Amino acid sequence: VSTVLGCIMVMVKEAVDVSDDHSCYYIYNATTGDRVFDHHYPEPSSPLDFGKAFSSVMFAFAGASTFPTIQADMKEKSQFPKAAVYSMIILCLVYLPMSVVGWGLLGDKVGGSVIDSLCNGPAKVCIEILFL
């Protein structure tokens, strides 16, 4: 529940900050005197990038080390493959929208972590606590 709430808060915070020209995403352009949000949308270098990203998410949750323990605790161990597939589907449904919205709003301004790319403030602190 906290992860889903955190993902929703990330998307809302990004949208609010992108629409506010006084947020950390905007820089002062001395030539025009305006504050601009200079972001770009780089092309993927390979179709395999999705697989690399998905495997990073998979190992970020230490699945390789926790799956045997989970399977050992299951009443019906034969149901583990189904449980693993459902788990991956749920993870994709939770994290894919957050990453798409982050990339869609921030482009190349998204760092290694979407959370690290957020502007500082109380909302960011709350989001960090939700993802502990």
Side-chain angles (χ1 to χ4, degrees), residues 25-85:
Y25 301 128
Y26 286 79
I27 57 172
Y28 179 73
N29 184 335
T31 307
T32 63
D34 294 329
R35 293 182 56 82
V36 295
F37 178 42
D38 185 31
H39 61 292
H40 307 282
Y41 299 100
E43 293 290 324
S45 58
S46 165
L48 299 176
D49 286 349
F50 177 79
K52 291 177 188 175
F54 184 75
S55 64
S56 295
V57 169
M58 173 75 171
F59 285 104
F61 294 102
S65 63
T66 58
F67 283 168
T69 304
I70 293 169
Q71 187 176 17
D73 292 340
M74 291 178 68
K75 288 181 184 177
E76 295 182 40
K77 292 172 184 26
S78 63
Q79 296 295 315
F80 179 75
K82 189 187 325 182
V85 168

